[in-house]
């Protein structure tokens, strides 16, 4: 596919139990797609393709916190917080993405990492989030009660470095129930089920965690647009079996890393999982899409949706490329900037219709920093 010439530059700094039918979707059931991003139930996805809108989804609200980054925007607002979600909701985004885990006493909480870190007597102490009670989890970081002081909060990077978790606008941790009650109801939720890649879960363990979350979702969702996702293949299949109200997407880095579970190692395997399991689409690392542009048409021809994630989504040219490729949307950190970029791309593409594309996709890949390297 030919694309217009681009010059790659980063964006500048400017418990009630609710019963629901178990449901197996057969391969004969059509897979809904995001033709109309404001109607995300399994029965209403027949919007006019000419009116398709590229969706912008706020990553953990207004973006993840990169404490090691020199970019102040990555440390502006505490990720996965009510403050971050409502701040993102001030912009024309379609969904807010966030991570859900379940505490030891069965409360769905919003937190990304598997472990939480603090400092006691000068030593860093770590604890698995799912081994905590709700009260213990909430005792970290800023407190709701101004008279209380929370445990100091630290974060460990993938390369092992530890940083104090400091942001310009901080906020206390929150539960899934609070998010439903306190975040702008017009904004959809992309709820990611978080599971540890280093743990082999039994089906019983997965079902229990999923059901705990679903009880809160079905109690408070009302007509809010929602779709679920997870990197854990069996979890996505179980979410599909345990409910049929909301869409379910498989999260994959599309081969950017290698796993023992083959289902996680390519976009082709992701497609196979979706089609066999009755899932609705794929959320893929953007580099895996850019390296294999022909996969987008194959995914769409299979009546599946395709959304991207990854740090390259903070570059307007990468967003532009995906719009031209037919990707349905992107999960982004720099919400304000990308919203503006999408509006600009729409205007440019309208004006430029019929113009000859003067650069092919293979040339675009060479221009994108970091694309060649995993």
């Amino acid at each position: 596919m030919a694309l217009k010439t681009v010059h790659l530059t980063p964006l500048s700094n400017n418990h009630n139990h609710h019963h629901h039918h178990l449901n197996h979707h057969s391969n004969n059931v059509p897979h809904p797609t995001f033709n109309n991003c404001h109607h995300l139930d399994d029965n209403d996805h027949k919007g006019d393709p000419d009116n398709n809108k590229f969706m912008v989804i706020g990553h953990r609200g207004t973006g993840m916190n990169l404490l090691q980054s020199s970019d102040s925007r990555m440390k502006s607002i505490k990720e996965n917080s009510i403050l971050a979600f409502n701040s993102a909701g001030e912009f024309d985004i379609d969904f807010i993405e966030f991570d859900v885990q379940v505490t030891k006493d069965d409360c769905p909480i919003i937190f990304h990492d598997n472990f939480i870190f603090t400092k006691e007597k000068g030593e860093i102490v770590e604890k698995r989030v799912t081994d905590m009670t709700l009260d213990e989890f909430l005792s970290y970081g800023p407190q709701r009660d101004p008279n209380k002081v929370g445990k100091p909060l630290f974060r460990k990077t993938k390369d092992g470095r530890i940083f104090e978790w400091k942001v310009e606008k901080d906020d206390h941790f929150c539960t899934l129930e609070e998010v439903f009650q306190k975040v702008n109801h017009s904004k959809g939720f992309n709820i990611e089920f978080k599971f540890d890649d280093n743990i082999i879960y039994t089906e019983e363990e997965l079902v229990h965690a999923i059901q705990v979350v679903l009880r809160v979702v079905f109690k408070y969702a009302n007509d809010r647009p929602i779709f679920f996702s997870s990197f854990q293949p069996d979890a996505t299949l179980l979410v599909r079996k345990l409910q049929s109200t909301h869409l379910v997407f498989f999260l994959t880095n599309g081969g950017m890393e290698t796993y023992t579970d083959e289902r996680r190692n390519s976009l082709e395997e992701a497609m196979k999982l979706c089609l066999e399991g009755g899932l609705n689409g794929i959320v893929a690392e953007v580099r895996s899409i850019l390296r294999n542009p022909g996969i987008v048409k194959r995914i769409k021809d299979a009546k599946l949706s395709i959304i991207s994630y990854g740090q390259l989504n903070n570059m307007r040219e990468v967003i532009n490329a995906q719009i031209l490729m037919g990707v349905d949307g992107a999960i982004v950190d720099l919400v304000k900037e990308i919203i503006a970029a999408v509006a600009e791309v729409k205007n440019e593409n309208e004006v430029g219709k019929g113009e000859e594309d003067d650069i092919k996709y293979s040339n675009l890949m060479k221009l994108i920093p970091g694309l060649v390297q995993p």
Side-chain angles (χ1 to χ4, degrees):
M1 173 180 186
L3 301 177
K4 292 175 183 166
T5 305
V6 294
H7 301 284
L8 274 273
T9 50
L11 289 166
S12 60
N13 252 331
N14 299 342
H15 307 305
N16 280 356
H17 192 103
H18 218 93
H19 295 282
H20 293 269
H21 297 295
L22 297 183
N23 186 65
H24 283 273
H25 283 247
S26 74
N27 289 336
N28 295 323
V29 177
H31 299 272
T33 57
F34 284 107
N35 284 343
N36 186 333
C37 63
H38 297 293
H39 299 282
L40 293 179
D41 61 86
D42 278 6
N43 300 312
D44 190 1
H45 288 273
K46 299 178 181 179
D48 183 349
D50 292 334
N51 292 327
N52 284 356
K53 177 183 178 185
F54 184 83
M55 293 183 299
V56 177
I57 301 169
H59 187 210
R60 308 180 200 174
T62 47
M64 66 176 175
N65 296 152
L66 283 182
L67 305 176
Q68 68 274 29
S69 174
S70 59
D71 189 338
S72 62
R73 295 173 297 180
M74 307 306 286
K75 297 175 281 190
S76 176
I77 301 176
K78 173 67 72 63
E79 68 174 43
N80 274 331
S81 67
I82 300 294
L83 178 61
F85 301 151
N86 279 327
S87 297
E90 294 176 3
F91 300 99
D92 186 26
I93 61 172
D94 301 285
F95 289 86
I96 297 166
E97 184 270 353
F98 54 82
D99 309 278
V100 176
Q101 301 187 59
V102 176
T103 62
K104 186 168 68 174
D105 51 350
D106 283 351
C107 181
I109 56 170
I110 312 302
F111 195 73
H112 175 272
D113 302 348
N114 297 315
F115 292 90
I116 197 167
F117 294 83
T118 190
K119 184 176 280 189
E120 296 177 0
K121 299 179 181 179
E123 298 291 328
I124 294 293
V125 178
E126 70 175 18
K127 189 160 186 179
R128 183 176 292 279
V129 174
T130 52
D131 287 342
M132 295 179 168
T133 63
L134 174 62
D135 286 345
E136 185 177 3
F137 171 71
L138 295 177
S139 70
Y140 287 77
Q143 298 294 289
R144 304 156 193 267
D145 185 343
N147 297 317
K148 290 184 178 181
V149 177
K151 296 177 184 177
L153 194 58
F154 291 78
R155 192 172 208 181
K156 192 173 187 178
T157 62
K158 285 187 176 182
D159 60 10
R161 291 179 293 165
I162 293 178
F163 295 85
E164 187 171 2
W165 202 332
K166 284 189 173 181
V167 294
E168 293 177 12
K169 298 179 182 178
D170 216 336
D171 198 13
H172 55 71
F173 289 154
C174 60
T175 66
L176 180 60
E177 179 178 335
E178 289 179 292
V179 173
F180 274 107
Q181 293 177 325
K182 297 179 180 179
V183 175
N184 185 337
H185 186 78
S186 69
K187 301 302 177 183
F189 288 164
N190 167 201
I191 300 175
E192 179 185 341
F193 287 89
K194 293 293 293 188
F195 295 100
D196 190 339
D197 286 342
N198 297 309
I199 293 178
I200 298 175
Y201 295 91
T202 65
E203 181 172 317
E204 182 180 9
E205 289 170 330
L206 292 174
V207 167
H208 178 78
I210 292 166
Q211 287 181 327
V212 168
V213 173
L214 290 180
R215 288 170 194 160
V216 174
V217 171
F218 282 109
K219 181 176 180 180
Y220 294 103
N222 295 316
D223 59 350
R224 186 193 295 269
I226 291 170
F227 72 97
F228 298 113
S229 61
S230 180
F231 282 103
Q232 222 287 352
D234 293 322
T236 60
L237 297 175
L238 286 168
V239 175
R240 178 75 291 171
K241 289 180 181 179
L242 292 168
Q243 63 84 45
S244 60
T245 303
H246 304 293
L247 305 185
V248 184
F249 278 52
F250 177 48
L251 263 165
T252 179
N253 62 30
M256 305 308 299
E257 296 178 35
T258 303
Y259 299 88
T260 55
D261 189 332
E262 286 295 327
R263 297 174 294 179
R264 302 184 64 178
N265 289 338
S266 71
L267 291 178
E268 288 78 9
E269 284 292 332
M271 279 185 64
K272 182 179 177 182
L273 179 75
C274 289
L275 293 173
E276 291 179 352
L279 307 182
N280 306 108
I282 300 167
V283 181
E285 219 286 353
V286 63
R287 291 175 297 167
S288 69
I289 299 173
L290 294 172
R291 289 183 179 190
N292 187 7
I295 196 71
V296 175
K297 184 177 187 304
R298 290 175 56 199
I299 290 170
K300 302 300 280 290
D301 286 347
K303 307 302 182 187
L304 297 171
S305 296
I306 176 72
I307 296 169
S308 69
Y309 75 91
Q311 290 191 49
L312 282 181
N313 277 346
N314 295 321
M315 304 180 78
R316 68 177 71 238
E317 294 86 355
V318 175
I319 296 296
N320 189 359
Q322 293 177 80
I323 292 173
L324 293 173
M325 291 166 64
V327 174
D328 291 298
I331 298 173
V332 308
D333 295 303
L334 305 181
V335 171
K336 178 181 179 180
E337 291 88 339
I338 294 299
I339 286 289
V342 169
E344 290 175 10
V345 168
K346 181 179 178 182
N347 291 336
E348 290 170 3
N349 289 346
E350 285 296 324
V351 172
K353 275 185 176 178
E355 293 180 2
E356 183 179 356
D357 293 335
D358 56 5
I359 188 168
K360 292 192 176 181
Y361 185 83
S362 58
N363 292 330
L364 174 64
M365 287 199 301
K366 295 174 185 176
L367 296 173
I368 298 179
L371 181 59
V372 176
Q373 299 299 321

